[in-house]
Amino acid sequence: MAVVAVSILAIGVVRQSFPDTTGQLEIEGLTSSVSVHRDAQGVPTIYADNANDLFRSQGFVSAQDRFFEMDLRRHVTAGRLSELVGSAGIDSDKVIRAMGWRRVAEQELPKLAPETRQYLQAYADGVNAYIKKTESPEKMSLEYTVLARRNPGYRVEPWTPVDSLAWLKAMAWDLRGDYKDELARARLSRTTRSLKQVNLLYPPYPVDRNQPILSEQDWQPASAQSDQAASPAPAALKALRTADGSDAIDSALASVEAVPVSLGRGDGIGSNSWVVSGSRTTTGKPLLANDPHLALSIPGIWGQVNLQCRTLSAACPFQVSGFTFSGLPGVVIGHNDKVAWGMTNLGPDVTDFYLEQVSGDTYLRDGDNVRVTKRQEVIKVAGGADVPLTVRSTVHGPILSDVVPSIDAAGDRSVVRGAPQSNRYAVSLAWTALTPGTTADAIFALNRATNWADFRKAAALFSVPSQNLVYADTAGHIGYQAPGKIPVRRSATPGAAPGFWPSPGWDSQWDWKGYVPFDDLPNSFDPAEGFVVTANQAVTASPTPFLTSEWDYGFRAQRIRTLLAATPKVSPETMSQIQGDTRNTYAPELVERLLSVQVDDFTAQAQRLLRDWDGSQPNDKSRDAASAAYYNAVWKYLLQYTFDELPPDIAPDGGSRWMVVMEQLLKDPKNDWWDDKTTPGVTEGSGEILKRALVEARLDLARELGKVPATWRWGRLHQLDLKHQVMGADGVPEIVQNLFNRNDIELGGGNSIVNANSWNASKPGYDVTNGPSMRMVVDLGNLDASRWVNSTGQSGHAYDDHYADQIDAWAANETFAWPFSQAAVRDATDDELTLVPPSPAPAP
């Protein structure tokens, strides 16, 4: 009986935060009745008579489904995570406070359009109506019940428009480009390797092999592709190879790595999106597909919503449906009644590190001593003492070398791209997102766009993060636009890509010279080819305007192009099938070399799996799945043995860049990278390293999957654990983790594959680290025939029916109906909730 009583109590605790999805609720601030229809996956369609009621209701419904996630996000972006989770949040709080994400959001709010501020406030009012209706944090979400032991008496603060805006800074941080490789190149340049050997690790984009987003016909290049392998000035190289230079670069990298990952970043992380003209489709109208590749957790990064003004008007111009972030009003990716859009990360170089010559409270600037800007912050810690923080800034941005102990020495002893000095040095960060922008305006402008001209006006407002935007409309048009604030900067090497190395902050010639004008950013309307594919590859073959040097190397994009070109008429089903494609198009090239290596009989049993294999990496019991398991193990060990001298944090992760690097090295079998420096007196070439990789991979999989290669399966190695950002982390009791996490999900696909379930070759195992965070296919001929799926579910409440109910479909590349019209929504409705204004108080 006691066990039964405990179980009933536990069920009651879990279920007390589940939302009301039927009946009627009074919501403060509403001016008229609002209907909330939820389908079989719990996705809400909200009908309202005016825009304020629409977004107020979206705020209320978002809070019903995912309030803890919203509260967590606002604590992270404000540098107040420690108030919620305790001392584990201190380092990230320090760095985010130093950058001042929330301070920038506060400056941004009054600069936005009046209607944007109005919608943000209405959304906040809806969230606050939910907070007021809920008696305690424990009744808002199970997470608060668990955290109450460490943080008793926690009180939920009212939601504000700035809470919504600050999340855009987390978006921009995770989707910026180049920062890590800028520091990695600087670190490597100090080693005994020549700059030529270092530059081999950063090859130019292979334009001849993998086509950029826009061809020369669509966007005329100003000149040929530049050689992105820039070199630092001789004095800089000398400084980098000192202990002082080494410390500076190591410290700067440690500072930015202290920020928690919200969306996901790294080589091989990106997205797919493409659009096909009606002349090439079975429907006669455009089709648009999108699947952003981000960090995978539970709840998933996206929520789904359908926002409907009952009658379209200038005062209520929204009939828009798609994916959005919890805590942010409107729709980020999706379609309205006329226009659909998708996004992939452009990966722009929007950050630069500056070394500052600091003496006391001043720093050197063009020969003058300029006073450092200071401000004081206090970090409050649940269950611990307050942590004071002094934030210092220069004209370039916050001084990150002050923030955490591991980087405090960074500025003491390093100079790059300039002559060494004897002063104390500090490391500052310039980043476009630290200037107030208009991305929130862009979201609402996209939501109400009705044609290409409207779409481009909305894109012009998209400040950060810069995204590849694809477009389609019901009139039959398609297009592409690159938006965003992209700095104009000087390059150390004439003709080479700028932004490759940290810059001397004391010399203003290295400052940004402004931003690329929007009209100079690449775009295309109704291209002759009849489709546009964006998968993080180079935008154009032209070096101008300079966008970044850190493209994805285009294997995914080229595979999508190949599949589209091979299909005379593309159907919606074909679009979805392409999203699930598991072909590794680089593998056959390497396999040809691997099959030429002579190995012992035991290894040869596995090597034979590679014969007649086309590179497919499915999650099934086929021979291809066994071949994929062995190939990826060989790839992992090949990278480890070839680049064994690289530090662990910049070791090859196996993404597209490393495929191009290996492609070049295989043409040079005596290159110095092949040599194992741990075997003095022996100089290895490519043959020895290829053989080692084949042998070690065979031994590894025999231990992991058994001795018979034919029984191996890629999915048994390549699994996803969906972890809750707080409750699922290491150090949390296993019984709590099990409440929130969903583990051991077998997946196909892999690095630089369209079904991009990425894994990191520099880490133990083959676990999935990032992947398609959602998938959608929009049919502009019949919007109700569009399809979508989320990576987890609509709800953020553990054990709610919709917490994890989309996982199986997502893993199998299956999708759900996406009702849009009133008739389709009505047919799909499982639950209906009516929100009404409060009843008038009775007369005294």
Side-chain angles (χ1 to χ4, degrees):
M1 291 294 292
V3 173
V4 172
V6 170
S7 299
I8 293 173
L9 178 62
I11 291 170
V13 170
V14 168
R15 294 183 62 84
Q16 67 177 343
S17 60
F18 289 4
D20 293 321
T21 58
T22 60
Q24 180 173 295
L25 291 175
E26 293 185 353
I27 303 299
E28 286 190 10
L30 287 182
T31 62
S32 60
S33 173
V34 173
S35 298
V36 181
H37 299 251
R38 291 182 183 267
D39 65 12
Q41 286 72 50
V43 177
T45 294
I46 303 173
Y47 290 102
D49 291 330
N50 59 73
N52 280 348
D53 281 356
L54 185 68
F55 292 114
R56 182 175 281 105
S57 300
Q58 186 188 7
F60 181 84
V61 171
S62 296
Q64 277 190 307
D65 285 341
R66 300 233 189 148
F67 184 75
F68 179 80
E69 181 185 25
M70 294 165 60
D71 199 20
L72 174 65
R73 286 177 176 178
R74 69 167 163 177
H75 277 82
V76 169
T77 57
R80 296 174 56 193
L81 182 59
S82 303
E83 294 180 24
L84 191 62
V85 304
S87 59
I90 291 175
D91 280 352
S92 68
D93 282 349
K94 285 182 175 181
V95 181
I96 290 172
R97 291 282 189 100
M99 287 190 281
W101 290 3
R102 187 176 178 86
R103 290 170 58 88
V104 178
E106 289 169 346
Q107 296 164 18
E108 201 164 88
L109 182 62
K111 298 178 183 295
L112 296 174
E115 63 269 22
T116 299
R117 299 198 302 271
Q118 180 181 331
Y119 301 153
L120 287 164
Q121 186 61 59
Y123 184 91
D125 290 343
V127 176
N128 290 328
Y130 168 80
I131 293 172
K132 187 173 181 180
K133 272 188 172 296
T134 312
E135 297 176 7
S136 66
E138 290 80 4
K139 291 188 178 180
M140 293 180 178
S141 197
L142 179 60
E143 289 91 336
Y144 292 116
T145 301
V146 178
L147 287 172
R149 296 184 62 185
R150 179 187 303 169
N151 192 5
Y154 174 77
R155 297 181 63 85
V156 172
E157 297 177 1
W159 192 265
T160 71
V162 173
D163 293 329
S164 296
L165 290 178
W167 176 244
L168 296 176
K169 304 307 169 189
M171 245 179 81
W173 179 256
D174 281 347
L175 297 178
R176 73 208 182 283
D178 184 58
Y179 89 95
K180 188 171 183 179
D181 285 327
E182 180 179 331
L183 295 174
R185 279 187 292 271
R187 292 174 67 189
L188 292 171
S189 68
R190 74 192 183 223
T191 68
T192 56
R193 295 281 188 183
S194 67
L195 279 182
K196 179 181 178 181
Q197 290 296 97
V198 173
N199 285 333
L200 279 174
L201 305 184
Y202 299 92
Y205 183 86
V207 174
D208 294 338
R209 171 176 182 157
N210 296 333
Q211 184 169 316
I213 294 172
L214 302 183
S215 66
E216 293 185 18
Q217 181 179 0
D218 296 321
W219 185 261
Q220 188 65 39
S223 62
Q225 177 79 5
S226 66
D227 178 7
Q228 65 186 45
S231 300
L237 181 60
K238 181 179 179 181
L240 284 166
R241 287 179 171 172
T242 66
D244 292 351
S246 172
D247 285 348
I249 299 307
D250 291 348
S251 313
L253 183 59
S255 68
V256 294
E257 287 295 283
V259 180
V261 175
S262 300
L263 301 181
R265 61 175 179 261
D267 193 15
I269 298 173
S271 306
N272 303 321
S273 189
W274 66 94
V275 60
V276 184
S277 171
S279 64
R280 298 183 59 101
T281 69
T282 59
T283 66
K285 290 287 187 176
L287 298 172
L288 185 149
N290 198 184
D291 54 290
H293 307 155
L294 302 170
L296 298 172
S297 61
I298 192 165
I301 195 72
W302 300 103
Q304 295 158 277
V305 70
N306 186 5
L307 301 172
Q308 298 276 341
C309 293
R310 290 192 178 101
T311 302
L312 282 177
S313 66
C316 198
F318 299 100
Q319 286 184 347
V320 60
S321 184
F323 294 87
T324 191
F325 298 119
S326 300
L328 187 69
V331 169
V332 176
I333 297 174
H335 71 82
N336 59 30
D337 61 320
K338 296 287 195 301
V339 166
W341 66 96
M343 299 183 189
T344 64
N345 194 24
L346 196 152
D349 186 355
V350 294
T351 58
D352 275 332
F353 293 94
Y354 287 87
L355 286 172
E356 311 283 6
Q357 294 189 40
V358 177
S359 177
D361 290 336
T362 64
Y363 64 100
L364 193 62
R365 178 81 170 153
D366 292 333
D368 295 327
N369 288 318
V370 179
R371 186 162 294 278
V372 172
T373 302
K374 289 185 180 182
R375 73 174 188 273
Q376 302 298 320
E377 301 271 354
V378 177
I379 297 171
K380 295 188 177 298
V381 183
D386 292 354
V387 176
L389 176 68
T390 299
V391 178
R392 301 193 300 166
S393 300
T394 72
V395 66
H396 301 111
I399 296 177
L400 295 187
S401 55
D402 289 349
V403 180
V404 296
S406 61
I407 65 164
D408 204 18
D412 286 348
R413 311 188 290 248
S414 175
V415 180
V416 293
R417 274 208 320 208
Q421 305 288 329
S422 58
N423 300 53
R424 172 181 172 84
Y425 292 95
V427 181
S428 66
L429 171 70
W431 176 33
T432 55
L434 297 185
T435 300
T438 54
T439 300
D441 285 337
I443 291 172
F444 293 110
L446 283 173
N447 286 192
R448 58 179 180 254
T450 61
N451 53 42
W452 175 246
D454 288 348
F455 178 79
R456 290 201 71 219
K457 289 177 183 177
L461 298 169
F462 210 106
S463 306
V464 293
S466 296
Q467 300 288 290
N468 298 303
L469 297 177
V470 293
Y471 166 93
D473 63 35
T474 56
H477 302 292
I478 65 171
Y480 166 85
Q481 177 68 57
K485 294 168 67 174
I486 313 292
V488 175
R489 44 164 82 79
R490 170 183 172 177
S491 171
T493 307
F500 245 50
W501 310 92
S503 303
W506 53 88
D507 186 344
S508 63
Q509 69 175 322
W510 298 103
D511 291 358
W512 292 349
K513 310 304 180 186
Y515 300 101
V516 177
F518 179 76
D519 287 340
D520 290 347
L521 291 172
N523 62 85
S524 179
F525 183 63
D526 286 338
E529 192 171 25
F531 61 82
V532 178
V533 175
T534 80
N536 316 111
Q537 80 272 38
V539 175
T540 74
S542 172
T544 55
F546 174 74
L547 302 176
T548 184
S549 56
E550 308 302 326
W551 310 112
D552 179 273
Y553 282 75
F555 294 95
R556 282 183 289 114
Q558 196 63 30
R559 174 63 174 167
I560 296 168
R561 290 183 56 82
T562 298
L563 292 171
L564 290 175
T567 309
K569 292 289 184 178
V570 179
S571 68
E573 293 76 19
T574 303
M575 300 282 277
S576 184
Q577 289 165 6
I578 293 174
Q579 289 180 324
D581 184 77
T582 65
R583 183 77 62 87
N584 184 331
T585 57
Y586 169 73
E589 181 177 334
L590 178 57
V591 164
E592 184 177 351
R593 295 296 303 272
L594 295 173
L595 289 174
S596 69
V597 179
Q598 291 190 346
V599 293
D600 60 78
D601 290 343
F602 183 71
T603 304
Q605 293 173 7
Q607 187 186 37
R608 285 192 287 271
L609 288 172
L610 302 179
R611 294 178 184 171
D612 303 320
W613 177 55
D614 65 2
S616 296
Q617 299 189 184
N619 172 34
D620 57 24
K621 297 181 180 180
S622 66
R623 186 178 188 276
D624 282 345
S627 303
Y630 184 56
Y631 171 81
N632 281 283
V634 174
W635 177 237
K636 179 187 185 77
Y637 286 106
L638 179 60
L639 292 172
Q640 289 183 10
Y641 289 141
T642 304
F643 303 105
D644 54 310
E645 295 171 69
L646 294 180
D649 58 326
I650 57 175
D653 62 10
S656 63
R657 174 163 66 94
W658 295 101
M659 295 174 183
V660 177
V661 170
M662 188 59 68
E663 186 176 62
Q664 300 305 310
L665 286 181
L666 286 170
K667 298 174 183 177
D668 185 5
K670 297 299 182 182
N671 190 283
D672 192 48
W673 279 114
W674 294 113
D675 185 32
D676 182 352
K677 301 302 184 184
T678 66
T679 58
V682 179
T683 302
E684 289 82 4
S686 61
E688 290 88 347
I689 301 303
L690 288 167
K691 183 175 182 178
R692 281 190 196 176
L694 285 161
V695 171
E696 188 57 41
R698 171 60 165 114
L699 294 171
D700 184 18
L701 296 197
R703 292 187 294 265
E704 291 291 324
L705 301 178
K707 293 182 179 180
V708 181
T711 66
W712 296 346
R713 286 195 297 111
W714 176 226
R716 287 180 58 196
L717 287 175
H718 190 231
Q719 297 187 10
L720 170 65
D721 289 341
L722 288 169
K723 295 186 177 181
H724 189 284
Q725 192 171 349
V726 175
M727 298 296 134
D730 294 340
V732 174
E734 185 175 356
I735 190 172
V736 175
Q737 291 189 40
N738 290 340
L739 285 173
F740 294 94
N741 294 350
R742 300 294 182 269
N743 298 327
D744 305 325
I745 302 164
E746 297 186 1
L747 297 174
N751 295 333
S752 295
I753 292 173
V754 179
N755 192 5
N757 297 308
S758 303
W759 60 283
N760 192 327
S762 70
K763 305 294 184 185
Y766 305 85
D767 291 342
V768 176
T769 55
N770 305 273
S773 54
M774 62 81 161
R775 296 187 183 95
M776 73 178 199
V777 174
V778 182
D779 183 345
L780 277 300
N782 179 5
L783 292 170
D784 285 332
S786 303
R787 307 283 296 183
W788 62 354
V789 69
N790 210 338
S791 60
T792 56
Q794 179 68 15
S795 177
H797 298 286
Y799 289 98
D800 182 276
D801 289 344
H802 304 303
Y803 182 67
D805 60 332
Q806 298 189 48
I807 293 175
D808 290 345
W810 169 84
N813 191 39
E814 297 170 354
T815 53
F816 297 100
W818 184 354
F820 181 69
S821 70
Q822 187 170 355
V825 169
R826 174 62 63 186
D827 288 345
T829 297
D830 272 13
D831 291 335
E832 183 174 353
L833 173 69
T834 302
L835 306 178
V836 297
S839 302

